Amino acid sequence: MPIIEKISSEAIINLENKYGAHNYHPLPVVLNRGEGVYVWDVDGKKYYDFLSAYSAVNQGHCHPKIVGAMVNQAQTLTLTSRAFYNDKLGPYEEFVTKFFGFDKVLPMNTGAEAVETALKLCRKWAYEVKGIAEHEAQIIVCENNFHGRTTTIISFSNDENARKNFGPFTAGFIKIPYNDIDALEKVLATSKNIAGFLVEPIQGEAGVYTPSDDYMMKAKNLCNANNVLFIADEIQTGIARTGSLLAVCGNCSCENKCERQETYATPDILILGKALSGGAYPVSAVLANDAIMNVIKPGQHGSTFGGNPIAAAVAIAALEVVDEENLIQNARFLGKLFRSKLNEYIQTSSIATLVRGRGLLNAIVINDTEESDTAWNICMALRDNGLLAKPTHGNIIRFAPPLVMNEEQLLDCVSIIITTLKAFEK
Ligand SMILES: *Cc1c(COP(=O)(O)O)cnc(C)c1O
């Protein structure tokens, strides 16, 4: 591109500042190309992507199979709305339900919409199947949850920044501490009209807060015993990210789809998004069996773009890539290697105190206060050293590369991370 036409990073950032709402605080790097585990900035500098768009790009940037499916479908038929049938939705619905082992799917676009859909489905089931009196249904959620940004979802967030001056809020939610099975047991025993329990198998936004291995299974069993729907938000943790197809599989030894493993807790309602399209297109889904999903009748819920032919074609390709390229096994193997290398370093580190996570969803805790800018400064230095990551909560940095990474690349990244951290030691 001729120099004259090329806009500098600074100019592009200024455009966003001037014309865009300031609802994000991006790391100052302007990307214009991605391939596999790499992204490039406008000056041609290459980086390892260690965020993967919050785990949407599990299959790697611009995966040729996924892009191919998208381009093909875009040239054929893009949108019919659900007023008519299209020839891609039915085959996708069969594919995705068999892939995850449910009777039915309700297709949406973004993660937050799928969470909203799950909440509506849970409430409707509570009134029409469980027999709770209208307007009385309660859904249990966890402290420090992140489920998206709609008014109802932020109603049960405890992130003041996400809530302040956005009220009034939606009623009907009870908050309990995360990873506290006694708290769940107690609220189920003492509260009336409980319809569901909505939970992240690992709290990604909260800082990759990883619960004990049996938390999901015990929570599911308690829900079962109380006729309460166990709703898993796997938007960030699902689709191979944590070294199993779903993170509700826990830390079992099975290397594929873990239905028969001891720690596996089949959700009554499963929420997927992000990597369901490999980051190519907004595709989300709510999965459940007939006894639950059949409470939704024509006209009661919908979305103009939900289940459109491009989304259907892209999602099939994205899930096929997960199997064809063994992303579950790769995430599991590289995750163990990553944590063991970082743990080795942390033994003697004065700047990093902890690494935690499962598969390739990990975080390190920086030895400074949540209010400090140390983690941000480390991310700036990582950027300068060719690796992009971002703090989640003040002093926590999430590390979530695309799952198509190989061992050599991962070791290269470990070396960049450790070298960078060492420069911050006192
Ligand atoms: C990203 C995310 C969401 C929201 O998805 P959007 O597509 O941003 O609306 C919900 N839940 C979890 C766990 C997420 O990580």
Side-chain angles (χ1 to χ4, degrees):
M1 196 190 268
I3 296 291
I4 298 165
E5 282 178 29
K6 197 165 146 184
I7 315 178
S8 73
S9 300
E10 198 189 334
I12 295 168
I13 290 171
N14 287 339
L15 287 177
E16 279 207 27
N17 268 330
K18 181 153 190 228
Y19 297 107
H22 293 182
N23 60 327
Y24 278 91
H25 180 40
L27 205 77
V29 58
V30 181
L31 306 173
N32 71 355
R33 188 158 73 86
E35 192 185 318
V37 299
Y38 301 112
V39 285
W40 285 263
D41 71 14
V42 290
D43 298 319
K45 181 173 164 142
K46 181 179 175 181
Y47 305 87
Y48 285 106
D49 179 359
F50 247 62
L51 182 66
S52 307
Y54 303 99
S55 298
V57 192
N58 288 2
Q59 297 87 336
H61 286 276
C62 298
H63 194 290
K65 173 166 175 156
I66 300 171
V67 172
M70 183 160 79
V71 169
N72 243 340
Q73 190 57 44
Q75 289 172 333
T76 313
L77 181 67
T78 59
L79 185 63
T80 58
S81 83
R82 299 285 303 275
F84 312 113
Y85 291 91
N86 72 67
D87 69 348
K88 287 290 171 296
L89 180 57
Y92 162 60
E93 289 175 332
E94 178 183 22
F95 183 89
V96 74
T97 50
K98 288 187 171 156
F99 201 88
F100 291 99
F102 288 86
D103 291 342
K104 282 193 169 54
V105 61
L106 200 162
M108 297 295 283
N109 312 285
T110 66
E113 282 176 312
V115 173
E116 285 275 348
T117 301
L119 296 171
K120 287 174 74 178
L121 177 61
C122 177
R123 283 177 167 184
K124 213 164 177 26
W125 170 88
Y127 300 127
E128 296 175 11
V129 178
K130 182 166 177 173
I132 292 177
E134 209 187 338
H135 301 306
E136 297 297 324
Q138 301 283 330
I139 294 175
I140 304 168
V141 297
C142 290
E143 282 166 13
N144 301 322
N145 67 71
F146 181 85
H147 296 288
R149 300 296 199 166
T150 65
T151 308
T152 287
I153 293 171
I154 62 162
S155 296
F156 54 82
S157 165
N158 56 296
D159 176 351
E160 261 319 293
N161 212 16
R163 285 168 55 90
K164 192 164 167 34
N165 291 335
F166 290 123
F169 297 116
T170 308
F173 298 96
I174 301 174
K175 216 175 293 153
I176 61 169
Y178 186 65
N179 193 24
D180 184 339
I181 205 71
D182 295 338
L184 179 62
E185 188 163 18
K186 191 168 162 217
V187 75
L188 286 169
T190 54
S191 308
K192 277 196 233 150
N193 303 323
I194 306 286
F197 173 48
L198 170 66
V199 65
E200 300 157 84
I202 291 173
Q203 288 189 327
E205 295 310 299
V208 190
Y209 194 82
T210 311
S212 43
D213 285 346
D214 59 1
Y215 178 56
M216 284 297 108
M217 190 216 9
K218 285 185 171 163
K220 159 72 179 172
N221 289 344
L222 279 174
C223 288
N224 260 3
N226 289 276
N227 194 23
V228 159
L229 299 185
F230 178 70
I231 309 168
D233 179 348
E234 292 250 20
I235 292 169
Q236 185 162 157
T237 53
I239 314 185
R241 172 52 61 186
T242 66
S244 41
L245 180 62
L246 299 174
V248 287
C249 294
N251 237 353
C252 71
S253 56
C254 166
E255 298 236 323
N256 209 326
K257 300 176 188 175
C258 310
E259 291 86 349
R260 281 171 300 280
Q261 294 298 315
E262 259 173 37
T263 52
Y264 185 77
T266 314
D268 296 305
I269 302 179
L270 172 65
I271 309 168
L272 297 173
K274 295 199 167 110
L276 188 51
S277 73
Y281 199 79
V283 185
S284 67
V286 175
L287 292 125
N289 284 341
D290 284 337
I292 297 165
M293 195 66 95
N294 284 344
V295 301
I296 302 271
K297 303 279 188 319
Q300 296 176 345
H301 187 68
S303 159
T304 302
F305 281 84
N308 73 75
I310 296 180
V314 163
I316 290 178
L319 291 173
E320 281 176 349
V321 167
V322 170
D323 273 350
E324 287 163 6
E325 303 189 16
N326 296 319
L327 298 189
I328 293 169
Q329 293 81 351
N330 200 46
R332 182 179 290 249
F333 170 73
L334 291 184
K336 281 184 186 148
L337 184 61
F338 182 78
R339 284 185 301 280
S340 86
K341 291 282 176 195
L342 280 178
N343 266 322
E344 218 170 90
Y345 161 67
I346 283 170
Q347 303 295 313
T348 60
S349 172
S350 62
I351 189 73
T353 57
L354 181 75
V355 59
R356 67 175 169 233
R358 220 177 260 159
L360 281 176
L361 181 59
N362 295 289
I364 57 167
V365 179
I366 298 301
N367 188 15
D368 207 334
T369 59
E370 269 209 44
E371 295 70 40
S372 73
D373 55 7
T374 310
W376 176 270
N377 293 335
I378 290 170
C379 289
M380 292 291 280
L382 285 170
R383 176 200 67 175
D384 296 340
N385 294 336
L387 186 147
L388 298 179
K390 245 200 127 189
T392 51
H393 261 77
N395 61 334
I396 301 167
I397 303 172
R398 169 173 31 205
F399 288 130
L403 311 182
V404 291
M405 185 162 269
N406 64 37
E407 186 174 346
E408 189 189 339
Q409 292 164 334
L410 186 93
L411 291 174
D412 192 21
C413 293
V414 165
S415 135
I416 293 172
I417 290 167
I418 292 176
T419 306
T420 307
L421 287 171
K422 278 186 175 161
F424 280 81
E425 287 187 9
K426 287 156 195 104

